[in-house]
Amino acid sequence: MSIRNMNIGMGVLDRTHRPPVPPRPGDTVLELNGVDVEIDGRRILDGIDLDIRAGELLSIAGPNGAGKSTMLNAITGDVPVTSGSISLFGEPIAAWDATELAMRRSVLMQNVDVTFPFSVDDIVRMGRSPWEGTPDESDDDMIVASAMAMTESTSLAERVYTSLSGGERGRAAFSRVLAQAAPILLLDEPTAAMDVKHQEMLMRLGRDYAEAGCAVVVIVHALDAAAAWSDRVALLERGRIAALGAPEEVFTSARLSAVYQCPIEVLRRDDGSLVIAPERPAVRRHVYGRRAFPLEGRANLPQFDHVSGQGKETR
Amino acid sequence: MTGKETAVRVAPRVTTRLAACGASVLLSAAMLVASALSGVWPGAASSALVPSAYAAGASVAVGVDGGTLNPDGNTAVSLSGSGFQSVKNGFGGIYVLFGWVSDPGGDSWKPSQGGVTGETYKYVPDDENDPAGYDVFVAFPGSSTESAANGGEIAADGTWNATITVPGARFTSTDRSGNPSDVDCTAVQCGIITIGAHGVANANNETFTPLTFGATAPSAADTTDSADSDAAQSGRSSESASGSGATGKTGRSADAGGATTADATARQTVGTALEGANVGTPALGVAGWLIVAAAIILGIAVIVLAAGFGGYLAAKSLLLGVSPAAMEQEMARRERRAESVRAREELNTAKRRRKQSERLAREQAKAGRARGLLADAGAPVTRAAMPEASDGGAVPGRTMPVDAGTVGEETQMLAPPAGETTVMPAVAGDSDAPGGVARRAADIRGFFTRHAAADVSSDAALSPKSRISPETPESPVTTSFRPARGGEVA
């Protein structure tokens, strides 16, 4: 696991690190001003203006190659910014040293691989390393246990990280970034490998964290999850922000279809929540294999009668 | 088993004893060597020789054909000997040879004094089957091998005449074993050698008459003179016999009035100098040799000790491999060591934790002095307060927009989030906030304490459609889901 990917700095026993001042809801904690990023002559980000505020869950959506991960990398300092500025808690990124950065923002990258066979408990504890030597160190045990309980990773505590499935790794890594207890949480597709239950669980935890007064930025592919859980959405298209606002404002059929270049339908339910799904044609099914419904009875759908070799069956 | 153990225990003692014995043996040997060397070094003098009474008698007169010895080809040299001992019907006679002797002015090269061919004298060998005349045999009258003599016989009055062929200035001689040895007569002093024939050493008939190459023919008179003075000198015992002989020769050669060219004298002196050098040992001195010997002994001792220690370790590990009891002892010892290390680490960690908590308690006490109490129950005590904010909880000099404008009247100490070190001024008595979101500082620690006992799995049963309202720290929340409440914050 490279330190870059973990982005938690080094736990140096140095009291000259300035601890973060906890922000109040609505405070701008992270600001991008006219940020341009060019890699190998290609302009990946073009004039990004974004304010990230405490107490808010901001989702960043967009098609592949729009620059979402690059923007996250620019915020963490892994990618140099060609022009423009990024300020963290009012000061440029370079004004903070590594430990101070780690105290202020925790990052979960897409790649959660680890080189060495650490146990999950060790990995979650690594998230506490910026606080080593500070008075908050005494909360380590409580916070680590709480973080693991929140993601249902307590049963994985003694497991070796490299033996976990993708979803379990994602949850363990999420526990680590939670345990870091930084006021800004940056997540790059945290639910990529997870089933729907854990995906919802993680999004809900992110929401809770935002409501505790922190700023949470999530890059998601699942537009309906973004619509359901976020306070604001930034839609990125080819390095620019195509739209920025509440999900209801940003996620319209026309805009989404244009940005993703795929017909997308946005339906609004009665309570105001959004259902976002691509427009799919009705598929004529060819069912050749065996069918089984162990829990319920067989669904008596006439159109499938001719398929089964058993003919019409009464239960 | 015990035998092996005792063997192991004995082995180190034995090894060290062996090492000690070896060292002492080496030391005594080195001492002997040093004494021998020291004995030898100043002992160039010990080659003092008693001159042979007869050596003064025998002499050889040399007549070079053509006047000069040709350094690159054959030169015939006529010889006439006188003063030799002639043994009627004696076995053998004399060999007359051309070559180099190690001690031209003295007797140490002579076979009667222990000289050995190839070492103290080297002569031009001749082919027995096709003799070129390099070697001449002058027989005793009536000798059994007289027929082989190509130099005639020694008359009863000790005279003889013969002709020898000198092959040139450079030749290769062989010693008894057939090992070849090159001789360059322009670099060393060569001449006519006479020795007893057939291996019968006869001091009376051993002579050396020096000859020089490229020089104008040394007249018979000159060579006779030099031979006589040589003989005379060898009658005297001298430390640097070869040296003085050489200077004497050189002096006379110069007096001969250009008879010898400058190169010839140079060659002669060089030759004699080389001969002188052959006698002595490198001038290192007693102290130097002692130091060398000491260094060698030190090196050997170190090697022996290292070998001994290595042997001990090898024997120990062998024993461990062979004997389970010893292995268990070793494992137990290692366990104990690991335990002590772990215990020490535990102690250090405990000490550090204690220090942390003490520091925490101190800071809490400091904050407690500045704490303002709230009406609502359950406001946890703050954990850390920076010195700048500890003066009575005054508002730090920072302009933060706060609702309801009640800054400074009452300071509400909240459960600070992890890492907070400043006191945030907050809105007190928030009930007059118009139903909006209260602007309180982020409560990250509270987030964790709330979820510490959370049973997340129960949330799945709740309806996902309910709106989530902002949390309040006072309400005992065990799950993160609440059914829709008013947005009111107490």
Side-chain angles (χ1 to χ4, degrees), chain A residues 23-25 136-137 139 208 212, chain B residues 356 383 401 419 439 443 445 480:
Chain A
R24 298 197 304 175
D136 305 307
E137 203 180 359
D139 281 335
D208 285 348
Chain B
Q356 288 278 19
R383 296 183 25 243
R439 291 178 56 81
D443 179 12
R445 192 171 181 278
S480 50

Side-chain angles (χ1 to χ4, degrees), chain A residues 84-304:
Chain A
S85 67
I86 301 177
S87 67
L88 177 71
F89 278 90
E91 298 195 32
I93 305 258
W96 309 103
D97 69 29
T99 309
E100 290 170 345
L101 282 176
M103 287 179 182
R104 282 158 177 79
R105 54 122 181 84
S106 53
V107 187
L108 180 61
M109 305 301 287
Q110 256 181 296
N111 178 15
V112 289
D113 283 336
V114 166
T115 317
F116 299 106
F118 296 115
S119 73
V120 169
D121 189 63
D122 288 340
I123 285 179
V124 178
R125 272 181 198 283
M126 283 182 204
R128 297 297 302 159
S129 65
W131 307 105
E132 187 181 331
T134 66
D136 305 307
E137 203 180 359
S138 49
D139 281 335
D140 276 1
D141 294 330
M142 182 272 287
I143 288 180
V144 163
S146 168
M148 288 210 288
M150 279 189 250
T151 58
E152 290 184 353
S153 312
T154 317
S155 55
L156 304 173
E158 296 308 314
R159 290 272 303 276
V160 170
Y161 189 85
T162 43
S163 71
L164 300 176
S165 71
E168 291 170 335
R169 288 189 197 192
R171 278 158 38 213
F174 194 75
S175 302
R176 172 177 56 80
V177 287
L178 277 182
Q180 200 171 332
I184 305 174
L185 196 60
L186 304 167
L187 309 170
D188 192 351
E189 298 196 36
T191 58
M194 284 182 205
D195 58 26
V196 64
K197 168 190 167 188
H198 294 114
Q199 180 179 318
E200 292 303 298
M201 185 173 74
L202 250 63
M203 291 301 289
R204 192 189 317 140
L205 285 174
R207 176 124 201 115
D208 285 348
Y209 201 68
E211 290 188 355
C214 305
V216 180
V217 179
V218 190
I219 297 177
V220 278
H221 273 310
L223 295 173
D224 48 346
W229 295 105
S230 4
D231 295 309
R232 262 198 314 163
V233 173
L235 190 62
L236 245 63
E237 183 191 12
R238 276 196 283 263
R240 292 165 197 259
I241 293 184
L244 178 65
E248 292 79 9
E249 301 166 338
V250 171
F251 289 151
T252 62
S253 282
R255 184 177 289 120
L256 284 178
S257 306
V259 167
Y260 280 92
Q261 303 205 323
C262 165
I264 296 176
E265 206 175 353
V266 178
L267 302 171
R268 185 176 271 264
R269 279 201 276 244
D270 294 335
D271 57 357
S273 56
L274 299 176
V275 173
I276 303 172
E279 279 177 20
R280 298 184 181 115
V283 168
R284 191 180 139 75
R285 304 195 193 286
H286 308 279
V287 180
Y288 302 116
R290 209 164 48 87
R291 291 177 290 143
F293 306 95
L295 295 178
E296 315 143 15
R298 201 181 126 195
N300 280 323
L301 295 169
Q303 68 257 40
F304 289 120

Side-chain angles (χ1 to χ4, degrees), chain B residues 403-417:
Chain B
D403 308 359
T406 51
V407 180
E409 282 180 47
E410 266 185 355
T411 353
Q412 175 180 8
M413 296 310 214
L414 306 163

Side-chain angles (χ1 to χ4, degrees), chain A residues 48-61:
Chain A
I48 302 280
D49 285 311
L50 194 58
D51 57 332
I52 293 164
R53 296 181 182 261
E56 197 178 62
L57 177 69
L58 173 71
S59 290
I60 300 179

Side-chain angles (χ1 to χ4, degrees), chain A residues 294-315:
Chain A
L295 295 178
E296 315 143 15
R298 201 181 126 195
N300 280 323
L301 295 169
Q303 68 257 40
F304 289 120
D305 286 343
H306 73 284
V307 177
S308 164
Q310 293 159 357
K312 212 165 181 176
E313 214 176 274
T314 51
R315 269 213 196 201

